Amino acid sequence: MSSSPPSDVSGGPFGDVLVAYRLGWTARRLVAAVVLPIVAVTLAVSAALDWFGGGRLVIVDGVPSVGDSHDVAVLRLAVTVFGWLLALLSGTVAVVRAAGPLRAVSRGAAGLPFAVAVLGAAAGAGYVLLRVAAGLMIFFVVVAVAVAVALVAVRLLLGVTAWVAGAAGRAPSWRDAVSFLLGGVGVPILLAVVADAVGLGAGPYAGPPVGAALIVVALAAQVGLAARPHVAAHPDVADPNRSTRAVWWPGAALLGAAVLVPAALVVLNPFELPSVRTHDRGPSTATAVAWPSGGHPVIVTSGGVWFCDDDLCDRFTDVSGGPPTVDGFGTASIGPDGTVVKTAVTGGPDTGGPFVQYARCVRDGCSQAWLPVRADARESPGPQGVGTEAAGAAAPDGAIWLFVAVPADGGEYGRYRFLMIRCADVACAAPQRHELGFADHTPADGFSGGSRARLAIGADGRPTASFWLGWSVHRFSCEPVTCAGPRQADGRAAPPDAVWTTAGDRAVAVRAGELYDGDNSALVGPGAAAQSGAVAVAGPYVYLTAALPSTGDRGLHLTIGEPARYWRQTVWRCASLTCTSAPLDGYAGEARRELLAVADDGRILVVRDNRIVLRETPFGRG
């Protein structure tokens, strides 16, 4: 191997990048001996902050995630920046001065405070300029300022690096800054994009090793680019062949330990941290979800039903049929055994209606039928402006029950007449109609029509119906099969934009992080997104989920225009409005509406737009 260092070649910044890469390759053993231990320590400290930094830790898809600690995120960012600067300074010293690892790291550490001070001041000034430019909301101005700030910052960085390496006689040029941006920033970003596109980090626990490898490659490229001007200008100060005598394997062993130990902690989970799994193949039009006892979840979509084959619903049987379950038109209920009943009101008095269109859906498919709301055409269709509402559910004996609110004459604005109709089967050749009572219609209560009715059938076959009207929830129940002894009770309703559900004679709702349970309410999730929230009742507990503001895992970033918002999906379990919470996954963008289901053992399933989130650890454990 020749002992002469690489020299400048023609080709402008691209030629400089090639020369720098050749220099980094020639000195690869020396660069590895210096850079690998620093990267290993940086990753180890970041992992320690994750595990022991004080935030609530949850394992999301095999990666530890801090649920609610802004301090840990700031410390991790600081550790990453300091580790990167130390590796760049020390690696450049090693290549320019042909210094051994200990000498190079000592010199790099000595220059680190000066580098932090200079680059910190430059970062602050650049931030102010970028904020001013972003305020102008002119794209080309923002881009021009961003490029100028980047070039100035890189030139300062190269100047500091040269000073620490003892090669400050040659001031960095603008061409050097452009070369560094191209080869030390642009190419590593491109490699990361390609690695993500081909799925290098998609396998189980493959992300950390791939990420560590990309960090090392990026640092090696940056060291070569920072050292190139000084090695080319002063051939007498460097002996790249000395790198063949550098001992690099201890650094590689440290890096392997820094990657594998956290992965082993995730696999073994000695601290019994809660585990969450997700996937992005969920439905985009989910309208209801439940977790039948002893089975897998069932998800109702606007056009069909997913009968899940596993708890994460990664595999499922999709059946279609019956009325579409669209807000304001169709509703759906999921029975304890997973049977789905979909209902909608169709038709008008001029065609013999209105009719309740309903369907019973199981894994084998959906069977549907239509039933006239009126027993015969002589019944009055009721006053205009009072719409018919309906909900359905399946009983343990196979019967279909329909709860119908029919317009009736009387009152200042008309009335509702409430019926319970039992069908022995889907065909319903002999419907059994049972009167439940009346309630006055209100002209406008802010609640959307078509979704006021709820119906559930208990394990004993007892039907329990609820109807939202004004600021009250009217509840009806009667005996199984015969519907004898109908009973009616009224309870307070939540605000009309709340999301609500029922369990027996209990109605609960959530709105912007506030839980409404009967006549009582409590704010359990301060700051929760207004458009987020779902609630479910399981046993003695009320479960709710909502998206809380989060810092996100952003790292260094530049935002043009409105800053991105980050959310942490959170779930609460409440008993008498006393709640405990647990973090789930995080996401960026606008907060999304979600659905919630709870298994018998306390596991949680959250369904968002195109994403399904499963907390595998039962609530109360981990």
Side-chain angles (χ1 to χ4, degrees), residues 42-80:
T42 301
L43 294 178
V45 173
S46 296
L49 287 173
D50 277 343
W51 284 88
F52 310 109
R56 291 191 300 171
L57 197 63
V58 59
I59 299 174
V60 180
D61 295 328
V63 178
S65 177
V66 180
D68 53 3
S69 178
H70 177 266
D71 294 338
V72 171
V74 172
L75 286 174
R76 284 186 59 201
L77 178 59
V79 167
T80 301

Side-chain angles (χ1 to χ4, degrees), residues 211-399:
L214 289 172
I215 291 171
V216 171
V217 169
L219 273 169
Q222 292 174 356
V223 166
L225 286 158
R228 179 200 59 79
H230 314 294
V231 172
H234 305 283
D236 56 308
V237 302
D239 178 12
N241 287 324
R242 182 171 176 173
S243 67
T244 60
R245 299 189 294 274
V247 181
W248 60 271
W249 64 264
L254 279 175
L255 182 60
V259 172
L260 294 178
V261 169
L265 287 175
V266 170
V267 174
L268 300 175
N269 197 8
F271 305 109
E272 298 184 345
L273 297 175
S275 176
V276 173
R277 288 193 296 142
T278 75
H279 71 73
D280 58 0
R281 298 175 299 281
S284 60
T285 60
T287 57
V289 62
W291 201 324
S293 179
H296 300 301
V298 176
I299 303 173
V300 180
T301 66
S302 61
V305 182
W306 288 15
F307 291 95
C308 303
D309 296 324
D310 55 76
D311 293 339
L312 187 57
C313 210
D314 207 17
R315 303 181 308 277
F316 55 89
T317 299
D318 187 7
V319 301
S320 59
T325 53
V326 180
D327 283 345
F329 177 73
T331 63
S333 70
I334 305 173
D337 63 350
T339 299
V340 175
V341 174
K342 304 166 70 177
T343 57
V345 177
T346 62
D350 54 339
T351 58
F355 300 90
V356 177
Q357 180 187 359
Y358 60 95
R360 179 181 183 273
C361 298
V362 294
R363 278 185 176 269
D364 294 334
C366 295
S367 52
Q368 67 175 333
W370 284 259
L371 181 70
V373 170
R374 294 181 290 167
D376 61 62
R378 291 171 295 180
E379 285 188 13
S380 170
Q384 295 291 326
V386 181
T388 301
E389 306 259 354
D397 62 0

Side-chain angles (χ1 to χ4, degrees), residues 301-513:
T301 66
S302 61
V305 182
W306 288 15
F307 291 95
C308 303
D309 296 324
D310 55 76
D311 293 339
L312 187 57
C313 210
D314 207 17
R315 303 181 308 277
F316 55 89
T317 299
D318 187 7
V319 301
S320 59
T325 53
V326 180
D327 283 345
F329 177 73
T331 63
S333 70
I334 305 173
D337 63 350
T339 299
V340 175
V341 174
K342 304 166 70 177
T343 57
V345 177
T346 62
D350 54 339
T351 58
F355 300 90
V356 177
Q357 180 187 359
Y358 60 95
R360 179 181 183 273
C361 298
V362 294
R363 278 185 176 269
D364 294 334
C366 295
S367 52
Q368 67 175 333
W370 284 259
L371 181 70
V373 170
R374 294 181 290 167
D376 61 62
R378 291 171 295 180
E379 285 188 13
S380 170
Q384 295 291 326
V386 181
T388 301
E389 306 259 354
D397 62 0
I400 301 294
W401 287 82
L402 301 173
F403 169 60
V404 185
V406 183
D409 296 319
E412 185 178 359
Y413 302 102
R415 308 189 78 194
Y416 282 109
R417 179 167 63 100
F418 299 104
L419 303 173
M420 199 80 79
I421 304 174
R422 181 181 184 272
C423 297
D425 51 28
V426 175
C428 202
Q432 302 165 20
R433 301 171 183 266
H434 306 278
E435 299 281 347
L436 298 177
F438 292 83
D440 289 339
H441 175 257
T442 57
D445 57 9
F447 194 87
S448 59
S451 54
R452 296 177 181 272
R454 298 283 193 276
L455 179 62
I457 309 295
D460 59 355
R462 180 185 302 275
T464 303
S466 300
F467 192 80
W468 187 309
L469 186 60
W471 285 87
S472 298
V473 174
H474 300 276
R475 296 190 294 268
F476 305 90
S477 64
C478 57
E479 295 299 315
V481 183
T482 63
C483 201
R487 292 175 292 278
Q488 179 177 351
D490 298 335
R492 195 188 79 172
D497 56 346
V499 176
W500 69 299
T501 189
T502 60
D505 60 355
R506 185 181 187 183
V508 294
V510 62
R511 173 182 179 267

Side-chain angles (χ1 to χ4, degrees), residues 61 95 138 370 375 433 437 480 543 579 611:
D61 295 328
V95 174
I138 302 175
W370 284 259
R433 301 171 183 266
Y543 293 81
C579 304
R611 180 163 290 275

